[in-house]
Amino acid sequence: MPELKKRKVGLGAEADQASGLRRIFDQLPVRWSLVLQPSMRSDNQADALAGRARQWATHAGPTLVIDAARSQVALALGLRLRYDLEHALAGDCDLGDACVAAGNSLWVLPAARALDAAFADERRAEPVASALQSIAREMRQAMLILPAARVSWVRHFPEIVRERQALIPVSRGADASTAVLTAVRRAMSDAEIDTFHLLFLGMGDAAAGRLLSGMAAIAHRHFGATLIAAKPVPDTEIASAGASIRDRSVESVF
């Protein structure tokens, strides 16, 4: 495998800003947050995650979204991607080129193909994890979005393992509870995660409350897991997630 190019790991001018902000934060270590994507997803999931990432970038500083689940966060932010992490690992571009700026203090790194390769060949797992750790060091926050079926991969991220918690988007629909509880069971058995923050999408407080009550009782009784309602992202954050960059163009589309 070609050596990973790091000439542009600083992400250019945007990363100069990120590095400066990191110094303001007294070199605090990056805070990792895990998002598990259940088998059932909704159309507004990408918008909700994009809004949450934008909120983090605004209030906590430089934020990196690592999309290893094809969750379409980049699309929700108005980005068109030319490269991804697999291109960088293959030597086709620099690691910094694979990260796309999505406004002030926010970047997106598509990593689904690299994760596919890591699962197909265990020898690829460590280079992929090392590349993600390397680019995340420039940031204050890193959101790792994984398919729930591949949650075992967090063993490569001690910071996530120590936290033992994850965010799960919850869609509307008859199968929503089954999809979430399946993700919870997998996360507990494969990664020893026991606390789950549920982000309810497209439903009112009453409906979300009823759904949470039923799932929390089952999860606690059968798995010993704790389910908590995540604080929703304000609609204004979601609506404006990509407003400033909708017209950005690139040479080609990945």
Side-chain angles (χ1 to χ4, degrees):
M1 180 185 302
E3 182 180 355
L4 184 65
K5 297 179 183 178
K6 295 185 179 180
R7 176 173 53 83
K8 294 184 181 178
V9 71
L11 310 184
E14 291 91 350
D16 290 340
Q17 176 197 38
S19 297
L21 288 171
R22 292 275 286 137
R23 286 192 292 273
I24 293 174
F25 286 111
D26 295 326
Q27 298 300 316
L28 291 172
V30 61
R31 178 181 178 183
W32 286 86
S33 297
L34 175 64
V35 176
L36 294 180
Q37 183 171 277
S39 57
M40 180 180 178
R41 69 172 79 179
S42 66
D43 293 338
N44 58 348
Q45 174 182 300
D47 289 333
L49 293 179
R52 184 165 293 265
R54 182 182 177 88
Q55 190 178 50
W56 287 0
T58 299
H59 299 290
T63 297
L64 174 66
V65 177
I66 302 167
D67 185 2
R70 296 180 174 86
S71 67
Q72 304 301 318
V73 170
L75 183 63
L77 288 165
L79 302 176
R80 301 176 69 195
L81 305 175
R82 181 179 184 183
Y83 297 116
D84 67 351
L85 179 58
E86 185 65 12
H87 284 120
L89 292 170
D92 296 331
C93 70
D94 297 309
L95 184 54
D97 292 330
C99 285
V100 182
N104 291 334
S105 298
L106 180 60
W107 291 264
V108 178
L109 174 61
R113 289 200 309 143
L115 185 66
D116 291 344
F119 264 80
D121 183 352
E122 182 62 27
R123 294 172 298 179
R124 296 288 310 277
E126 187 57 37
V128 171
S130 295
L132 295 179
Q133 293 278 10
S134 175
I135 200 71
R137 291 191 192 102
E138 299 283 345
M139 305 293 166
R140 181 67 185 92
Q141 299 262 359
M143 175 192 290
L144 175 60
I145 308 174
L146 285 179
R150 292 181 168 179
V151 66
S152 62
W153 203 65
V154 300
R155 69 184 184 277
H156 296 286
F157 297 86
E159 303 89 346
I160 295 177
V161 173
R162 285 195 297 268
E163 290 291 329
R164 299 186 65 176
Q165 58 183 325
L167 176 76
I168 300 180
V170 184
S171 305
R172 291 184 297 180
D175 297 326
S177 293
T178 300
V180 170
L181 291 172
T182 298
V184 168
R185 181 176 59 188
R186 176 65 67 89
M188 290 201 69
S189 64
D190 292 359
E192 297 184 351
I193 295 171
D194 56 15
T195 302
F196 301 87
H197 302 264
L198 305 187
L199 182 61
F200 293 94
L201 306 174
M203 63 186 81
D205 291 343
R210 289 192 297 270
L211 192 56
L212 173 62
S213 178
M215 289 191 296
I218 294 173
H220 180 72
R221 182 168 63 249
H222 293 285
F223 313 139
T226 299
L227 272 57
I228 305 168
K231 184 177 180 180
V233 178
D235 291 340
T236 53
E237 291 283 357
I238 295 175
S240 63
S244 63
I245 52 175
R246 292 291 181 185
D247 296 328
R248 178 173 296 177
S249 61
V250 294
E251 295 178 11
S252 62
V253 179
F254 164 66

